[in-house]
Amino acid sequence: MSTVNPPMNYNNERTPGESSTEMIEILLFSLGGQEIFGLNVFKIREVTELSLVTQIPGQQGAMNGVISLRGQVLPVVSLGDAIGMSTGEPNSKMIISEFASRSVAFAVTDVDKIIRVPWSDVKPPQKYDSEEGSVFGVVMLEDGSLVSLVDIESVCHRVLPEKDATPVTTGFELNKAGPVFFVDDSIVARRKISEVLDTMGLKHSHAVNGVEAEQKLLAIASSANQNSEELEERVSLVLVDEEMPIMDGCTLTRKLKGDPRFKNIPIIMYSSLTSEENARRGIEAGVNIYVKKFDSTSLSNAIGQLLAHA
């Protein structure tokens, strides 16, 4: 692979009529073999040469140590070891990633370039519902080769586990609130969302991607109409992940907001992409509140704020 210096040096011009909320920009990189991997550019702060790594007591597995980068101490994770794709070829680059208020240096063999593809071109991998899954989507390039999109949240959950330091807020009166529907392609995220909803005493159901979520929600709306019930009794709130294969959260939100039956159903978008730009895109798509992923306090506060007077 040829080396570039993303995400600074790439063409960020969009074609006329192209919606940024329906596209994903992917940094392509190698772990030493023939396989091509990718990361969402919005989760990348910079790419740099692999610098001196300091060993720390107790490190094991894919955890290589720590580095000091511009005054910040970052854990270094060998991505090939973390996802079981190590070839033994030495790593030469570090992808400095930021997501869900975490900063991690991922050591990789080489980096290539950045591509932009529609979210609809991102297909779920064959076994993407596994707790050990390290890939959340697959993209086919023009030459027929496949790019595996790495789920770095799941990787960090395994390699750098941390306890949820944000408690669930439970002081809301939610007795009259109907069930909550949520959609996320990550089993780790679904478990954490379920824990929040269970603690708040809210019934819930879910989907694993945007297309499935749309189908299930439309079926719920049709059933409520056939039984002369208010939709709010079946779905009081929808939670959408921003990054999902097949259909991303912004696209799903716009579709729901374009359906008169869902005009009174609030939508929360939760994402590990915590920049103001991502939040703005979510709000423009129609979400009521944009919250940080894996922050139980922020999520429960948002839910309580929207449902306390339901």
Side-chain angles (χ1 to χ4, degrees):
M1 281 189 166
S2 59
T3 301
V4 296
N5 187 33
M8 288 72 73
N9 298 337
Y10 71 100
N11 181 6
N12 197 32
E13 295 180 359
R14 294 184 169 87
T15 57
E18 178 183 281
S19 172
S20 62
T21 58
E22 296 178 352
M23 306 293 290
I24 177 174
E25 292 171 331
I26 303 166
L27 171 66
L28 304 182
F29 63 92
S30 168
L31 296 176
Q34 297 299 315
E35 296 82 1
I36 305 172
F37 297 91
L39 281 178
N40 189 334
V41 166
F42 275 117
K43 294 183 180 179
I44 299 173
R45 189 175 80 192
E46 62 182 296
V47 175
T48 184
E49 299 294 323
L50 183 64
S51 59
L52 180 64
V53 179
T54 301
Q55 305 295 301
I56 59 175
Q59 71 180 51
Q60 56 184 339
M63 176 64 176
N64 282 1
V66 297
I67 59 166
S68 177
L69 185 65
R70 283 180 272 284
Q72 185 180 18
V73 177
L74 302 176
V76 179
V77 173
S78 172
L79 197 50
D81 291 332
I83 67 175
M85 294 295 294
S86 178
T87 63
E89 191 171 333
N91 293 319
S92 65
K93 297 291 188 294
M94 289 191 304
I95 301 175
I96 311 302
S97 183
E98 290 186 334
F99 57 96
S101 299
R102 302 187 75 178
S103 297
V104 179
F106 291 102
V108 302
T109 302
D110 202 0
V111 296
D112 185 10
K113 61 184 177 182
I114 289 174
I115 62 171
R116 179 186 287 117
V117 299
W119 271 107
S120 58
D121 285 355
V122 179
K123 307 303 180 184
Q126 191 171 10
K127 296 181 179 180
Y128 84 111
D129 201 30
S130 169
E131 185 165 1
E132 298 301 319
S134 301
V135 172
F136 76 89
V138 178
V139 175
M140 180 178 290
L141 301 180
E142 291 183 356
D143 63 2
S145 56
L146 297 177
V147 177
S148 298
L149 304 181
V150 178
D151 184 347
I152 53 176
E153 288 92 343
S154 293
V155 171
C156 284
H157 177 75
R158 295 196 309 273
V159 180
L160 304 170
E162 62 178 4
K163 293 182 178 180
D164 189 350
T166 58
V168 176
T169 303
T170 58
F172 298 102
E173 292 292 336
L174 303 177
N175 296 333
K176 297 181 180 179
V180 171
F181 187 94
F182 67 89
V183 52
D184 200 300
D185 61 299
S186 166
I187 192 170
V188 173
R190 293 200 300 274
R191 179 185 296 115
K192 289 187 174 294
I193 295 166
S194 296
E195 290 173 354
V196 170
L197 296 174
D198 288 340
T199 302
M200 298 182 76
L202 293 167
K203 295 180 179 180
H204 52 84
S205 58
H206 71 269
V208 300
N209 61 59
V211 171
E212 182 186 12
E214 182 186 23
Q215 293 171 346
K216 287 187 174 182
L217 287 168
L218 293 181
I220 292 172
S222 297
S223 177
N225 182 62
Q226 292 174 1
N227 290 279
S228 300
E229 297 176 354
E230 294 293 331
L231 181 56
E232 289 85 347
E233 297 177 10
R234 300 283 193 94
V235 181
S236 62
L237 174 71
V238 176
L239 306 176
V240 299
D241 182 19
E242 183 171 5
E243 294 181 291
M244 294 182 291
I246 309 178
M247 183 190 295
D248 67 296
C250 287
T251 301
L252 174 61
T253 297
R254 286 195 299 272
K255 287 193 170 189
L256 293 176
K257 289 298 183 179
D259 188 326
R261 295 173 295 181
F262 287 89
K263 66 177 182 180
N264 295 323
I265 306 297
I267 299 178
I268 295 174
M269 177 171 285
Y270 50 95
S271 175
S272 57
L273 304 175
T274 54
S275 70
E276 292 183 3
E277 172 68 10
N278 287 101
R280 180 187 63 79
R281 290 177 177 178
I283 298 300
E284 287 181 351
V287 303
N288 297 78
I289 302 178
Y290 188 100
V291 300
K292 181 176 65 176
K293 210 168 190 178
F294 304 125
D295 185 334
S296 298
T297 298
S298 295
L299 180 57
S300 55
N301 279 335
I303 293 171
Q305 177 183 333
L306 293 172
L307 295 185
H309 302 292

